[in-house]
Amino acid sequence: MDESRKSAEEFLQLINTSKRGKLKIYIGMSAGVGKTYRMLQEAHVLLQNGIDVKVGYAETHQRKETQRLLEGLPVIPRRKLFYKGKELEELDVSAILMLRPEIVIVDELAHTNIEGSKNRKRWQDVMDILDAGIHVISAVNIQHLESLHHEVKSVTGIDVSERIPDTVLAAADEVVNIDLTADELITRLKDGKIYDHSKVQSALNNFFKTENILQLRELALKEVASQVTRKVETEVVSGKVLKKERFLACISSNETTAKNVIRKTARLANYYNSQWFLLYVQVPRESSDRIALNKQRHLINNFRLATELGAEIIKISDSKIAMTIVRQCEEKKITTVCIGKPHLDIWRIILATDTFNTLLKRLSTQNIDLVILS
């Protein structure tokens, strides 16, 4: 309990300063590492310190050790509703706002709410709670981070549908990694501490392979390390002035490859704690009255994704793509341009003109890096 006590005391120091609620997120490499367990441990410590803490939503997955920790904690009843003939339970945001606890525990941050709820996602519920001045402790797995979607899918073969924007994690005042070795996690799985024994072998053959766990663990550790770096840069006073990176992602109307460019640029910007922009140059053949409806829909979806990942959208109508990129680099003081590999439409257009060399020369003279993303 000592580690939980220290963690709780650090969070108490944070919440004494701001009108808006403070957000603490426990992050892990997968289910079963102990995020909910640690949140409930912390709730007990806070309660012992006279803090008004309540459990808004805790997903125990019928794990006995975790369920026992709910004993003695004040729990806000869940909202019950019927959906497709079944009674389901959701986080009761209205009850939380009415009761106004000082701190509320809200598990499963990436959860998708039942159709008809005020917000589509639970992380949006958490933002409403924070706006009301209530502090939140929550939890999420690394595979639910939007910018890592492609990478997680390539590692595990699983297309994770429930995701949170990177901006949610970036907005957290504290991010704590709950770490286990691959052997420890697999032992917990075999002991029936994560899933029912009937599901263990299937889990071992699929998601819980050692190589998957090691790669997801690395992603989680890197993410928390980058969060610490950002905290140091923004909070630690230093006389050393660091060069501030600014990224420009250039996309075409191609849906799949554009999403990859967006996610990878967001990861780079996130790593460097930097501002980033998304540039789409609308050439005459893709003007609003000529572009195909499916391409228009893809662009809208990509703009929405980039916005969720923290980008500022730039849309310019021009036939000279290369020179438009150069102008935007100058105006926005860009340090790195990110672009997709050569099969992108944008590359075919640039390479078909004699301005590509001009683009490279201009970027070079301004010390701007050009990154070609696979």
Side-chain angles (χ1 to χ4, degrees):
M1 187 70 86
D2 288 344
E3 197 172 348
S4 297
R5 188 174 298 280
K6 181 183 176 184
S7 183
E9 288 171 356
E10 289 172 348
F11 193 56
L12 278 175
Q13 291 173 0
L14 266 177
I15 68 177
N16 289 329
T17 57
S18 155
K19 289 185 179 178
R20 187 175 188 270
K22 294 289 186 181
L23 174 61
K24 178 174 185 175
I25 297 177
Y26 281 101
I27 193 167
M29 58 184 168
S30 76
V33 295
K35 301 180 301 301
T36 305
Y37 190 89
R38 279 287 297 277
M39 282 197 299
L40 296 178
Q41 274 189 325
E42 184 167 349
H44 277 283
V45 174
L46 293 167
L47 203 61
Q48 289 165 13
N49 280 274
I51 303 300
D52 179 16
V53 58
K54 289 182 170 57
V55 177
Y57 197 102
E59 185 55 77
T60 66
H61 295 287
Q62 305 300 313
R63 294 166 191 155
K64 293 178 182 179
E65 294 173 345
T66 308
Q67 283 182 309
R68 278 197 292 268
L69 278 174
L70 277 172
E71 296 172 9
L73 293 175
V75 177
I76 297 173
R78 298 177 184 181
R79 184 168 61 101
K80 290 182 170 62
L81 53 144
F82 281 91
Y83 182 70
K84 294 185 178 179
K86 294 181 180 179
E87 185 182 63
L88 301 174
E89 296 180 336
E90 288 285 13
L91 175 72
D92 196 334
V93 180
S94 297
I96 292 170
L97 297 179
M98 183 178 67
L99 292 169
R100 294 195 64 80
E102 192 169 354
I103 302 174
V104 65
I105 305 294
V106 180
D107 208 351
E108 302 281 347
L109 189 59
H111 171 76
T112 300
N113 292 330
I114 296 168
E115 195 174 317
S117 301
K118 180 197 170 189
N119 294 315
R120 182 171 173 269
K121 305 289 288 188
R122 184 166 292 161
W123 66 262
Q124 294 169 317
D125 293 336
V126 166
M127 292 301 155
D128 288 347
I129 294 168
L130 293 170
D131 287 340
I134 300 168
H135 310 296
V136 177
I137 301 176
S138 191
V140 72
N141 287 326
I142 191 65
Q143 63 262 33
H144 295 289
L145 201 58
E146 179 63 60
S147 68
L148 288 174
H149 178 241
H150 179 76
E151 198 164 347
V152 169
K153 187 177 179 181
S154 67
V155 169
T156 65
I158 296 171
D159 189 356
V160 179
S161 59
E162 293 190 321
R163 306 189 294 274
I164 65 168
D166 290 47
T167 48
V168 176
L169 202 61
D173 301 277
E174 196 173 351
V175 179
V176 180
N177 184 39
I178 304 298
D179 187 39
L180 290 177
T181 66
D183 287 344
E184 287 171 328
L185 185 61
I186 289 172
T187 298
R188 283 180 56 79
L189 178 65
K190 289 179 177 178
D191 289 345
K193 293 181 178 180
I194 301 177
Y195 300 130
D196 183 82
H197 284 288
S198 62
K199 299 178 181 177
V200 169
Q201 194 56 51
S202 175
L204 287 170
N205 294 337
N206 294 287
F207 188 87
F208 283 83
K209 293 177 181 177
T210 300
E211 59 269 27
N212 289 356
I213 295 170
L214 289 173
Q215 290 180 80
L216 291 172
R217 186 187 186 198
E218 181 185 19
L219 290 176
L221 290 169
K222 281 182 177 178
E223 183 58 39
V224 174
S226 68
Q227 290 284 334
V228 173
T229 301
R230 282 196 288 276
K231 202 171 181 67
V232 169
E233 288 180 355
T234 55
E235 295 184 13
V236 177
V237 179
S238 171
K240 185 178 180 181
V241 179
L242 299 174
K243 177 188 175 185
K244 198 68 178 174
E245 300 289 339
R246 290 164 75 91
F247 294 87
L248 179 69
C250 303
I251 67 164
S252 72
S253 55
N254 183 299
E255 179 195 25
T256 306
T257 47
K259 278 186 176 179
N260 195 40
V261 172
I262 290 167
R263 287 194 173 105
K264 288 195 173 185
T265 306
R267 290 301 298 166
L268 285 168
N270 187 48
Y271 180 80
Y272 286 101
N273 190 25
S274 302
Q275 189 174 8
W276 73 285
F277 305 84
L278 179 75
L279 173 64
Y280 166 63
V281 183
Q282 186 182 63
V283 293
R285 65 183 175 84
E286 291 191 344
S287 59
S288 55
D289 58 335
R290 298 175 68 183
I291 189 171
L293 285 176
N294 66 322
K295 286 191 173 184
Q296 199 168 43
R297 188 167 58 251
H298 295 334
L299 280 170
I300 291 169
N301 290 336
N302 286 331
F303 291 158
R304 184 184 297 116
L305 173 63
T307 301
E308 286 185 350
L309 292 174
E312 180 181 320
I313 308 300
I314 305 169
K315 181 181 175 183
I316 295 175
S317 298
D318 203 311
S319 59
K320 298 178 180 178
I321 294 181
M323 295 312 297
T324 303
I325 293 172
V326 171
R327 283 198 303 272
Q328 288 304 309
C329 286
E330 292 170 350
E331 289 179 19
K332 304 296 184 185
K333 296 181 172 57
I334 299 298
T335 60
T336 304
V337 174
C338 299
I339 201 162
K341 59 185 178 182
H343 71 263
L344 278 176
D345 291 344
I346 192 170
W347 267 93
R348 284 203 293 268
I349 295 168
I350 292 174
L351 291 170
T353 69
D354 58 2
T355 56
F356 184 60
N357 285 334
T358 304
L359 172 64
L360 292 178
K361 287 177 183 176
R362 292 289 289 274
L363 294 181
S364 177
T365 56
Q366 296 177 46
N367 293 320
I368 297 172
D369 295 323
L370 178 65
V371 177
I372 301 173
L373 299 168
S374 62

